[in-house]
Amino acid sequence: MKFFPILLICAAVVAFSPAQAQGRRSNKRANKPAPAAAPTAPTAPGAAEAEAEAPKTGVRFVVCSPAGVPMPSPLYVRRGKGFKAISISSRTPSERVLPVGGNIDFWDKDPSAAVEGGKKPAAGAAKLPEPIFTIPVPAGIGGKSVCIFSPKKDGKKPGTLFLDEKDFPRKGMHIINLSSYPLQIVTSESSDFKDKKESKIGVFRSEDGISASNSWSFKGEKGQQVSFILSYADQKTKTYKRIKSSTFVLSDRQSVLNVVVKDQTRNMPMLMTIQLPETK
């Protein structure tokens, strides 16, 4: 709460000589120069422009690496007439990037710094270094999408999988099976599993991509708590073995993607969680 000062005007009857002396003291104070205002912190050149140019649509990137192969960080992409450094992690997606001509180029070093003379050219200027890899954006993908990077040990172009964000709305808990193991999820809204519901999640086939058969979603209300048990079908024992059991709480600010992939160190699937906060 803000408080506004109230100007109080007081009048007093005083003797002539004290008033005259008081007037002289007031004049001295009035003529005294006011203290200089504290300097404000300078704004970094181009910071406001870069912030204003941040795209509201485009592709966000996240890493899914069961083998622990890292992605170079940071990576540089085109941002308007210049370049922007972005970080790509495994739990939360990067800033949005707009494709240029249906593609997104990535550099491991600032391209503008490599130009002779140290001048920073426009993103479309000539003599730019070659990107370390280029990712084509599918034509049918929506205005807001997520691309899951699968890094390769040889450092070459990573594998990609695009998700249309409208298929995984907020206030939802979602599972995508990218493994060859059939899955089963059991949910209970009362936590005692007396009201349990079982759902099967099929295996992933690259020719089909992500579909209703290999994905699952729970869309409820803000703050709703749901207990779950996620299991996979063991081919040897012909039974379901548990991957994870826990409770999730639905949020109206983000959706949660649980990606199931094959564990590279064991003959079983593993769960990787990606949080997708809504962007303005």
Side-chain angles (χ1 to χ4, degrees):
M1 179 179 296
K2 297 182 178 179
F3 295 90
F4 296 92
I6 301 175
L7 181 62
L8 301 178
I9 303 176
C10 300
V13 179
V14 294
F16 174 75
S17 55
Q20 193 174 30
Q22 183 179 3
R24 286 196 298 268
R25 288 194 299 270
S26 299
N27 289 338
K28 288 181 181 180
R29 286 196 299 269
N31 294 332
K32 185 178 180 180
T40 57
T43 303
E49 291 80 357
E51 183 68 23
E53 293 174 1
K56 298 180 180 179
T57 60
V59 185
R60 295 191 282 180
F61 294 88
V62 68
V63 175
C64 181
S65 179
V69 179
M71 283 287 294
S73 183
L75 288 171
Y76 293 84
V77 295
R78 298 177 189 268
R79 168 70 67 83
K81 296 182 179 180
F83 300 90
K84 171 71 175 179
I86 63 171
S87 297
I88 303 177
S89 66
S90 60
R91 289 188 61 86
T92 55
S94 68
E95 299 179 49
R96 294 196 185 276
V97 181
L98 286 175
V100 178
N103 298 313
I104 298 178
D105 296 325
F106 290 86
W107 290 266
D108 58 351
K109 295 180 178 61
D110 187 351
S112 58
V115 179
E116 294 181 2
K119 297 181 180 180
K120 292 194 173 184
K127 296 183 180 179
L128 287 175
E130 288 292 322
I132 58 173
F133 58 84
T134 298
I135 300 298
V137 179
I141 203 71
K144 293 182 178 182
S145 61
V146 173
C147 177
I148 299 178
F149 271 154
S150 298
K152 297 181 179 178
K153 292 182 179 180
D154 57 10
K156 293 182 179 180
K157 178 180 174 180
T160 59
L161 181 66
F162 281 85
L163 311 176
D164 196 328
E165 291 186 30
K166 71 176 183 293
D167 296 332
F168 303 94
R170 288 181 300 166
K171 285 196 304 186
M173 193 267 205
H174 314 279
I175 295 176
I176 302 174
N177 187 10
L178 299 183
S179 75
S180 58
Y181 299 89
L183 305 177
Q184 174 183 269
I185 183 166
V186 181
T187 59
S188 170
E189 297 182 46
S190 62
S191 74
D192 56 9
F193 286 91
K194 291 181 180 180
D195 60 340
K196 69 177 182 179
K197 295 180 180 179
E198 295 182 359
S199 301
K200 298 293 191 294
I201 308 172
V203 301
F204 177 78
R205 293 182 175 88
S206 57
E207 61 270 20
D208 298 330
I210 297 175
S211 64
S213 63
N214 54 36
S215 62
W216 174 90
S217 293
F218 187 98
K219 304 167 189 176
E221 300 297 330
K222 174 186 175 183
Q224 185 176 359
Q225 297 186 20
V226 180
S227 300
F228 73 94
I229 301 173
L230 180 64
S231 307
Y232 74 98
D234 186 275
Q235 296 178 353
K236 293 182 179 180
T237 63
K238 305 299 181 181
T239 59
Y240 281 98
K241 291 188 175 181
R242 185 172 302 187
I243 299 175
K244 184 177 181 179
S245 61
S246 185
T247 300
F248 60 82
V249 180
L250 297 180
S251 168
D252 64 342
R253 296 184 179 181
Q254 68 177 10
S255 58
V256 178
L257 296 182
N258 294 280
V259 181
V260 179
V261 295
K262 182 179 180 180
D263 191 329
Q264 301 295 325
T265 61
R266 298 180 295 172
N267 189 26
M268 63 175 295
M270 65 181 296
L271 187 67
M272 305 188 76
T273 300
I274 301 171
Q275 297 176 349
L276 292 181
E278 177 65 10
T279 55
K280 297 181 180 180

